[in-house]
Amino acid sequence: MVGNILAIRDRSCIYIYIYIIILLIVICLIVLFWKRENSSLLRKKSMAEALIDDPVYVAVSTDVSESRLTLTWALRHLQPKKLYLLHVHQPISINPTSSGLEQSEIDAIQESELTSSYEILLKYRDICVVEGILEQDVDISYSLANNVGEGIVELIYENNIKKLIMGAAADSHNSEDMVNITSRKFDYVTKHAPHCCKIWLVGNGNLIHTREGRFDRRGSPHPSSESLTSLQGLDSALVPYEEAVRGEHDNVSHSLSSPEDQSARGFETMYYEEQRRGLEIEERRIKAEEDLRAEIENMKGIQKELEEQLYIDCPRQFEMFQKERDEAMKTTVELLRLLNLDNSESASHSPSSSFQRSVSNEPPPYFLCPITQEVMREPSVAADGHTYEAEALREWLDNGHDTSPMTNLKLAHRNLVPNHPLRSAIHEWLQGHS
């Protein structure tokens, strides 16, 4: 009886220990989950605060009257703490040969143009001061590029821009309510800028379009064939951006320092790295497809040329060989006639037979090569239809001639066709007159 009671008590203690262990495990899991959620909230909060404190970049041109309304809209609607005047300078291209100027003179002209452009940007800073922005809170982000859209995209990656205001040219014949957007730069920038960059399009002092910035990968556009020309410049811009992400410049007032901010920066760095890899892979794929299509088109063109050449050359070659055959047959008939005549003359015993035999010792003119004037050993028909000694004609061609020794016309080809009937006739004639 006492033993049963002790056994039941020991078993109850074991159950209690098991329940306590399970309860501790559940508590640990709850604590870990809470820490994870809290860390995620802190990271999102820090990213949101970073976006709020990010400086505002306003793209301006050298035409102050055109970009003034865009800058004024940004100052009055966004009220930035820090503002950057973003400008892409397009250097003029002067050819020393065509212009007749020295390189030093060209450099001086370009330097003067650059200085003039920078002085115009200082006028925009004066406008900001008039609107109530401190002078030290207005800075200039400058770049040199042949294409303004590509230059803006490079500056976005280099400076990690999150807020950008661009101006759209408006048609002066239309009213403010009917703004005619002609900004191709905005379309280009929205296609190639990172998704975390929010872009406003302002025309004639009015907001036209807004592209919201986000950090997710949804709707990530693939580079089109028209954007491939700028990917090389984009890749070159990503390298300094990665360096800028690892360590911001010391003189930038909005640099991040807290652990949460550093975590947000690390997240952004990973995002940009993945985006850059995706662009590279897509660029290679599209380039390979274009190269393959070009190769296929090239092969089709070559095939078409060969077919056309075949249709042209085959009848011509057939006609030439028919002509050579007819010429050889004609020569053979003539030779047989002369041989029969020679045999009949040699059989006669007239007093004049000795004179005729001496005359027949002279070879017929068509036994002689037109080049060497000697009896041919290997008579061959050339492209001009005449028969020559094969070795003599080859030597004629090897000496740089491409014309017929008889007609002085250009030969269609260098091929030689052996004239077997004529060779047989010459051989019989040589045996009879040896």
Side-chain angles (χ1 to χ4, degrees):
M1 183 72 175
V2 175
N4 292 334
I5 294 174
L6 292 175
I8 293 173
R9 187 182 65 181
D10 293 340
R11 192 179 302 165
S12 300
C13 291
I14 292 173
Y15 289 153
I16 292 173
Y17 290 150
I18 293 174
Y19 292 150
I20 292 173
I21 292 172
I22 293 174
L23 181 61
L24 291 175
I25 292 174
V26 172
I27 292 173
C28 291
L29 291 176
I30 293 173
V31 171
L32 290 175
F33 180 77
W34 178 82
K35 287 184 177 181
R36 181 178 177 182
E37 290 296 321
N38 190 31
S39 175
S40 177
L41 291 174
L42 289 175
R43 185 173 62 181
K44 291 180 181 179
K45 181 180 179 181
S46 63
M47 290 171 60
E49 291 175 352
L51 287 175
I52 293 174
D53 294 336
D54 278 329
V56 174
Y57 287 76
V58 181
V60 295
S61 65
T62 54
D63 188 356
V64 179
S65 60
E66 178 183 338
S67 300
R68 178 192 293 270
L69 293 176
T70 302
L71 178 60
T72 304
W73 184 92
L75 294 173
R76 294 178 180 177
H77 289 78
L78 300 182
Q79 299 179 354
K81 296 180 181 179
K82 182 70 176 181
L83 185 136
Y84 282 84
L85 299 171
L86 186 146
H87 178 70
V88 177
H89 178 70
Q90 293 178 289
I92 58 174
S93 177
I94 303 177
N95 191 346
T97 304
S98 60
S99 63
L101 299 175
E102 298 291 337
Q103 186 62 40
S104 58
E105 295 175 341
I106 296 175
D107 295 340
I109 293 174
Q110 293 178 342
E111 184 67 24
S112 174
E113 183 190 30
L114 189 62
T115 303
S116 176
S117 178
Y118 190 80
E119 290 176 353
I120 293 176
L121 293 178
L122 295 179
K123 296 180 181 180
Y124 288 110
R125 189 169 64 181
D126 296 337
I127 296 174
C128 295
V129 173
V130 172
E131 292 291 333
I133 303 296
L134 297 178
E135 185 175 349
Q136 60 267 24
D137 292 334
V138 181
D139 208 341
I140 296 174
S141 182
Y142 205 82
S143 174
L144 298 177
N146 293 325
N147 183 279
V148 176
E150 293 179 6
I152 292 176
V153 172
E154 290 180 8
L155 287 173
I156 291 175
Y157 279 95
E158 289 177 3
N159 299 283
N160 193 20
I161 296 176
K162 298 295 189 302
K163 297 178 181 179
L164 174 65
I165 294 93
M166 298 181 63
D171 192 345
S172 59
H173 298 286
N174 298 332
S175 63
E176 289 187 359
D177 296 333
M178 298 293 291
V179 178
N180 181 24
I181 301 175
T182 59
S183 178
R184 296 182 179 179
K185 296 187 290 293
F186 177 78
D187 296 335
Y188 181 88
V189 172
T190 53
K191 288 180 181 179
H192 298 85
H195 298 302
C196 59
C197 179
K198 185 176 182 179
I199 306 175
W200 291 265
L201 178 63
V202 178
N204 202 17
N206 298 312
L207 179 62
I208 298 173
H209 181 71
T210 303
R211 194 201 80 163
E212 294 293 338
R214 63 180 188 274
F215 283 91
D216 60 343
R217 295 297 300 268
R218 292 176 298 175
S220 177
H222 296 290
S224 61
S225 58
E226 130 183 297
S227 69
L228 287 175
T229 56
S230 67
L231 284 174
Q232 294 179 351
L234 187 60
D235 291 339
S236 62
L238 285 172
V239 175
Y241 166 76
E242 294 171 355
E243 296 177 355
V245 170
R246 296 188 187 99
E248 293 287 345
H249 297 292
D250 295 336
N251 59 352
V252 179
S253 60
H254 60 280
S255 61
L256 303 176
S257 59
S258 64
E260 292 81 1
D261 294 337
Q262 293 177 1
S263 175
R265 284 296 180 188
F267 175 77
E268 294 174 32
T269 304
M270 293 170 57
Y271 166 75
Y272 281 115
E273 182 66 22
E274 292 178 3
Q275 190 178 35
R276 186 174 70 85
R277 289 200 192 102
L279 288 175
E280 289 178 352
I281 294 172
E282 189 66 17
E283 176 191 4
R284 292 170 187 166
R285 184 186 65 80
I286 294 179
K287 187 176 183 302
E289 290 180 356
E290 292 179 350
D291 293 342
L292 183 59
R293 292 193 190 99
E295 188 67 23
I296 292 173
E297 293 297 328
N298 186 29
M299 294 300 295
K300 288 182 179 178
I302 294 174
Q303 181 181 1
K304 186 176 180 181
E305 291 178 1
L306 291 176
E307 290 176 353
E308 292 177 354
Q309 191 67 24
L310 184 62
Y311 291 145
I312 294 173
D313 290 346
C314 280
R316 186 184 301 167
Q317 293 285 344
F318 181 73
E319 182 181 355
M320 183 192 66
F321 283 118
Q322 273 190 333
K323 182 180 178 182
E324 292 173 357
R325 185 199 63 182
D326 296 341
E327 189 72 22
M329 291 181 66
K330 181 179 178 182
T331 304
T332 302
V333 172
E334 183 68 18
L335 288 173
L336 291 174
R337 187 182 67 80
L338 291 174
L339 286 173
N340 292 332
L341 180 62
D342 188 40
N343 291 333
S344 63
E345 289 178 352
S346 62
S348 64
H349 301 282
S350 61
S352 60
S353 62
S354 60
F355 175 75
Q356 291 176 353
R357 186 177 293 105
S358 64
V359 174
S360 64
N361 286 333
E362 295 294 330
Y366 41 82
F367 284 4
L368 304 178
C369 174
I371 300 175
T372 63
Q373 294 300 318
E374 296 178 356
V375 177
M376 294 179 284
R377 302 292 181 177
E378 294 183 7
S380 301
V381 181
D384 59 356
H386 295 279
T387 302
Y388 304 90
E389 178 64 38
E391 186 64 27
L393 187 58
R394 290 193 189 97
E395 185 177 354
W396 168 272
L397 297 175
D398 292 339
N399 288 333
H401 299 90
D402 58 353
T403 57
S404 168
M406 296 292 291
T407 64
N408 203 27
L409 298 177
K410 188 173 181 179
L411 296 173
H413 57 83
R414 299 166 63 98
N415 299 330
L416 298 177
V417 179
N419 194 335
H420 296 291
L422 181 59
R423 182 180 179 184
S424 299
I426 293 174
H427 182 68
E428 291 182 5
W429 184 87
L430 290 174
Q431 287 181 348
H433 295 79
S434 60

